[in-house]
């Protein structure tokens, strides 16, 4: 497998999403990619143990992508080696009545990982400038002051929302949350293939919804919204990574590799040192237990 520079996936300047590749060659077959992922996630899991013991940082992994982009399977494959106490996954769907009584970011605040843990957002705070931007009528259900009709939802409204999301992320980073944002980028052709597979394989039928086809008709609108959101909210503190995801195994490996390499930069994350008392008397403690 060839060496990959992970910084090529980081968004550091405005991008045109139609010009970003949805596939990448790793010069590796399926078995090699699976082996590379297994090795990387094992190292990630060990680092998570140190994170838990250190107790000063948390890690938030945000996953966005079009339907069928592979978010669920990526979570399963990348984090399967983690201690169950060390990672919590939240899948954000249509806001509940209770959630709609709060600011749109409220449900994301309360789901943030505590210090020492990984949190994974399967769909994220960005749904509030993606799905709602394609379907602005959903905003009316939030019962926001001064938003009484679709005419009130203008470009200033969306700019304000993206500023609020940037502030939200900057605030949690300043307080110890390490933020990763991954856009799983697939082609329209690959989505067609994956939707057909859901329909043609009985054991996958449950994943399909007629609404998937209606949303597919809005492909270009969604791509435009993703482009605006990524360009406006990829910051040094909370950057976006665009992951070519037509090949699921490659995408999983790339996400794990980025997490692993970037987290190693936090050299202060170490297991606590043993207290002088325990270190001095450890042989005595061992002997006492063995003599029971």
């Amino acid at each position: 497998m060839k060496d990959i520079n992970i910084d090529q996936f980081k968004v550091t300047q405005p991008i045109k999403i139609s010009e970003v590749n949805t596939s990448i060659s790793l010069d590796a077959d399926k078995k090699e990619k699976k082996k590379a992922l297994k090795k990387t996630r094992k190292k990630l899991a060990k680092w998570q143990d140190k994170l838990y013991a250190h107790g000063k940082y948390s890690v938030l992994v945000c996953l966005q992508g079009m339907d069928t982009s592979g978010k669920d399977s990526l979570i399963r494959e990348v984090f399967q080696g983690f201690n169950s106490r060390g990672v919590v996954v939240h899948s954000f769907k249509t806001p509940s009545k209770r959630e709609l009584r709060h600011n749109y970011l409220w449900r994301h605040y309360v789901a943030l990982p505590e210090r020492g843990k990984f949190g994974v957002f399967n769909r994220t705070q960005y749904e509030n400038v993606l799905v709602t931007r394609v379907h602005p009528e959903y905003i009316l259900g939030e019962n926001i002051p001064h938003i009484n009709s679709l005419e009130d939802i203008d470009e200033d409204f969306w700019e304000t929302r993206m500023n609020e999301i940037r502030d939200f992320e900057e605030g949690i980073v300043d307080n110890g949350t390490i933020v990763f944002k991954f856009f799983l980028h697939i082609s329209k052709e690959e989505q067609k293939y994956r939707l057909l597979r859901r329909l043609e394989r009985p054991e996958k039928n449950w994943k399909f919804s007629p609404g998937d086809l209606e949303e597919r008709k809005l492909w270009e609108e969604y791509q435009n919204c993703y482009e605006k959101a990524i360009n406006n909210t990829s910051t040094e503190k909370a950057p976006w990574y665009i992951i070519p995801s037509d090949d699921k195994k490659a995408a999983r490996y790339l996400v794990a590799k980025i997490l692993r390499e970037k987290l190693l930069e936090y050299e202060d994350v170490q297991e606590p040192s043993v207290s002088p008392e325990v270190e001095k008397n450890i042989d005595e403690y061992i002997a006492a237990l063995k003599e029971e």
Side-chain angles (χ1 to χ4, degrees):
M1 181 180 292
K2 69 179 180 182
D3 189 39
I4 296 292
N5 179 7
I6 61 173
D7 286 333
Q8 67 182 288
F9 307 109
K10 185 177 178 179
V11 178
T12 58
Q13 59 187 10
I15 54 95
K16 190 167 180 59
I17 208 163
S18 61
E19 297 176 356
V20 180
N21 289 331
T22 60
S23 62
I24 186 172
S25 173
L26 299 179
D27 290 343
D29 59 24
K30 291 182 179 180
K31 187 175 181 180
E32 289 170 324
K33 283 179 276 192
K34 188 174 181 179
K35 183 178 180 180
L37 171 60
K38 184 177 181 180
K39 183 178 179 180
T40 305
R41 74 185 176 207
K42 186 176 181 180
K43 292 178 180 178
L44 260 180
K46 287 184 177 179
W47 192 89
Q48 193 280 321
D49 286 338
K50 287 199 298 183
L51 176 79
Y52 187 85
H54 185 248
K56 290 190 176 182
Y57 293 99
S58 59
V59 178
L60 176 63
V61 179
C62 299
L63 299 175
Q64 283 287 161
M66 298 292 287
D67 290 337
T68 76
S69 60
K71 298 182 291 297
D72 292 334
S73 61
L74 185 147
I75 293 169
R76 181 185 68 240
E77 295 296 328
V78 170
F79 298 100
Q80 68 172 252
F82 276 48
N83 188 313
S84 59
R85 71 183 180 182
V87 59
V88 180
V89 179
H90 292 274
S91 296
F92 293 101
K93 301 184 183 298
T94 303
S96 66
K97 290 183 178 179
R98 182 180 182 224
E99 289 168 342
L100 286 171
R101 294 193 190 103
H102 293 271
N103 173 284
Y104 71 94
L105 285 171
W106 175 79
R107 64 177 182 162
H108 304 289
Y109 269 113
V110 298
L112 288 172
E114 59 192 72
R115 299 185 195 281
K117 293 189 177 184
F118 274 65
V120 182
F121 283 4
N122 182 355
R123 298 188 183 275
T124 71
Q125 58 272 17
Y126 287 94
E127 293 291 282
N128 299 287
V129 291
L130 294 168
V131 175
T132 55
R133 193 161 190 172
V134 175
H135 299 283
E137 63 274 14
Y138 295 167
I139 294 294
L140 301 179
E142 296 182 22
N143 204 28
I144 303 170
H146 312 302
I147 302 295
N148 302 307
S149 68
L150 295 180
E151 287 69 31
D152 297 324
I153 306 171
D154 55 15
E155 284 299 316
D156 287 342
F157 175 87
W158 298 115
E159 184 176 346
T160 296
R161 280 225 156 166
M162 286 188 281
N163 287 338
E164 290 169 345
I165 291 173
R166 282 202 304 269
D167 290 343
F168 162 70
E169 292 169 354
E170 182 175 350
I172 64 175
V173 169
D174 288 344
N175 283 277
T177 299
I178 306 167
V179 176
F180 293 91
K181 300 182 296 193
F182 297 104
F183 172 52
L184 304 186
H185 190 29
I186 62 171
S187 64
K188 193 174 183 180
E189 292 73 20
E190 178 63 19
Q191 189 195 60
K192 178 181 178 180
Y193 166 75
R194 293 181 187 182
L195 287 172
L196 282 170
R197 188 171 56 179
R198 287 182 180 182
L199 290 166
E200 293 170 349
R201 296 173 62 180
E203 71 275 16
K204 299 287 185 180
N205 288 170
W206 66 272
K207 289 187 173 184
F208 180 80
S209 167
D212 295 340
L213 297 184
E214 294 303 311
E215 291 298 281
R216 180 172 164 80
K217 294 176 183 177
L218 302 170
W219 180 275
E220 295 304 326
E221 291 184 48
Y222 273 106
Q223 296 295 300
N224 184 48
C225 290
Y226 267 111
E227 184 177 295
K228 290 179 179 177
I230 291 170
N231 284 338
N232 281 281
T233 61
S234 191
T235 64
E236 189 58 37
K237 289 185 177 181
W240 275 101
Y241 293 87
I242 301 181
I243 306 298
S245 299
D246 280 354
D247 179 340
K248 287 187 177 182
K249 287 183 172 58
R252 295 164 189 164
Y253 169 67
L254 291 174
V255 167
K257 181 177 175 65
I258 290 168
L259 289 172
R260 166 69 177 164
E261 292 190 12
K262 290 299 180 182
L263 289 173
L264 284 177
E265 295 177 5
Y266 290 83
E267 296 179 356
D268 56 324
V269 177
Q270 299 292 335
E271 294 174 347
S273 57
V274 178
S275 70
E277 180 183 359
V278 171
E279 187 173 20
K280 178 181 178 181
N281 298 300
I282 195 165
D283 291 337
E284 184 180 326
Y285 299 145
I286 292 172
L289 285 168
K290 287 184 175 180
E291 288 174 4
E292 284 186 354

